Amino acid sequence: MELTGKVAIVTGAASGIGRASALKFAAEGAAGVVVADIDEAGLRPVADAVGGLAVRCDVSREADIRNLVEQAEKRYGRVDVFFSNAGIIGGGGPEAPDELWDRMWKVHVMAHVWAARAVVEPMLARGGGYFVITASAAGLLNIVESAPYGVTKHAAVALAEWLSIAYGRRGLGVSCLCPQAVRTGMVPGDGGSAGVDGILSAEAVADEVVRTMRDQRFLVLPHPQVLDYLRGKTADYDRWLGGMQKLYQRAHGQG
C-alpha cells in the first residue's frame, strides 16, 4: 500500500514509534493522520506537526477506540490505515499482580481486537485497507524480563496472523511489527536482553513499517536478525529453550 492520499490512525502516537510513524505517514503524503494516545499534552505537537487530528484514547477501553474511529470518520470520512501501536511495559513472572496481567492483555491484545472490530468491515466494504499491529520480537521469541509482556505479545502476533488469514483475500493488508530494542521511553538504557543487536531509533522503525506496507509483507523486522533467531527456534525448540534459560539466568544474576 502507498500512503499517498490515505487516512491513517496511529495509536500510542505521543512518543516513540507512534510519533515517528505519524510523522512518516504525513511525509509520505497521507491525506489525514489521526494521532491517539492517553497523553493529551504529548499528542498536541504531533498533531500540529502532521496537520492532523489529536484524540485522547485509552486503548484499554473499547468505548475510547470506538470514539477514536468515529472522530476520524467525522473529520476525514473514512479510515484506510489503522496502526494499532500503543503498548506498555512491566516485569515479573506468574507472581506479577493480576492488575498488570489484565492491563497488558487489554492494551496488547484486546485493543487490537476492538480496533479491528471498528474498522475492518468498513475498510472491506470500500474495497480494502491496511491494519498494522505492533507486537515485538518478544511475540516471536519471548523475553526473559517479563512473562506478561511475552505472553500478550505472542497473542498479538497470533491475532495479526488470524486477521491476515481471514481477510487477506478480501482486500485487507496486515502487517505485524516485531522489533527488538527501540530507543523509546519503554526501553532501559542498554535495552535489556532485547538490546543484543543494538537499539534502533523510532524513525528507523517507522521507515521499515512504511517499506513493509508498500511491499504488503506480513512481518516488519527492523532487526533482521530476528528472522534468523526464529528459524533457529523452530529448527530445534529444546536447544532454543536451553539458550533462553541461560539468558534468563544472566539477566536475573543467577549465573
Side-chain angles (χ1 to χ4, degrees):
M1 170 179 276
E2 296 290 342
L3 284 156
T4 304
K6 300 299 191 296
V7 175
I9 291 175
V10 183
T11 67
S15 62
I17 294 170
R19 177 183 181 279
S21 296
L23 294 171
K24 181 67 174 178
F25 288 4
E28 289 288 314
V33 180
V34 181
V35 292
D37 204 293
I38 200 168
D39 175 11
E40 282 186 280
L43 270 184
R44 293 191 196 101
V46 182
D48 290 344
V50 301
L53 174 66
V55 179
R56 185 191 184 281
C57 180
D58 178 352
V59 299
S60 70
R61 293 168 45 86
E62 184 176 11
D64 278 26
I65 293 177
R66 286 201 307 268
N67 176 67
L68 169 62
V69 173
E70 289 167 3
Q71 293 300 315
E73 291 174 339
K74 183 177 180 181
R75 169 70 71 91
Y76 296 108
R78 68 189 192 280
V79 176
D80 301 306
V81 176
F82 197 107
F83 187 3
S84 194
N85 166 71
I88 59 173
I89 197 67
E95 80 287 350
D98 287 354
E99 292 78 11
L100 178 61
W101 281 95
D102 183 61
R103 184 153 180 80
M104 283 210 179
W105 183 257
K106 287 179 178 176
V107 172
H108 294 162
V109 186
M110 293 310 300
H112 310 315
V113 173
W114 295 326
R117 187 179 292 169
V119 302
V120 168
E121 288 297 341
M123 285 178 177
L124 297 179
R126 290 191 302 272
Y130 216 102
F131 200 97
V132 184
I133 287 176
T134 293
S136 166
L140 299 172
L141 304 169
N142 226 309
I143 188 168
V144 298
E145 288 89 350
S146 174
Y149 191 85
V151 168
T152 56
K153 289 299 189 177
H154 268 68
V157 172
L159 176 62
E161 291 172 345
W162 193 93
L163 292 173
S164 182
I165 291 165
Y167 302 115
R169 295 196 176 184
R170 293 179 58 193
L172 184 72
V174 180
S175 292
C176 187
L177 172 58
C178 296
Q180 291 176 290
V182 182
R183 182 60 68 202
T184 71
M186 289 175 58
V187 174
D190 63 355
S193 64
V196 63
D197 293 311
I199 304 177
L200 297 181
S201 69
E203 290 74 20
V205 174
D207 288 346
E208 190 62 28
V209 169
V210 170
R211 280 193 291 269
T212 304
M213 291 175 65
R214 185 174 290 127
D215 294 342
Q216 296 233 163
R217 288 181 286 114
F218 179 74
L219 282 178
V220 188
L221 297 176
H223 295 86
Q225 301 92 334
V226 170
L227 186 57
D228 292 330
Y229 300 149
L230 181 61
R231 287 171 175 152
K233 174 181 178 177
T234 57
D236 191 333
Y237 230 113
D238 292 304
R239 181 179 180 183
W240 174 81
L241 283 169
M244 291 296 285
Q245 289 164 1
K246 292 176 183 177
L247 186 61
Y248 179 93
Q249 288 180 319
R250 288 200 298 270
H252 293 271
Q254 298 176 5

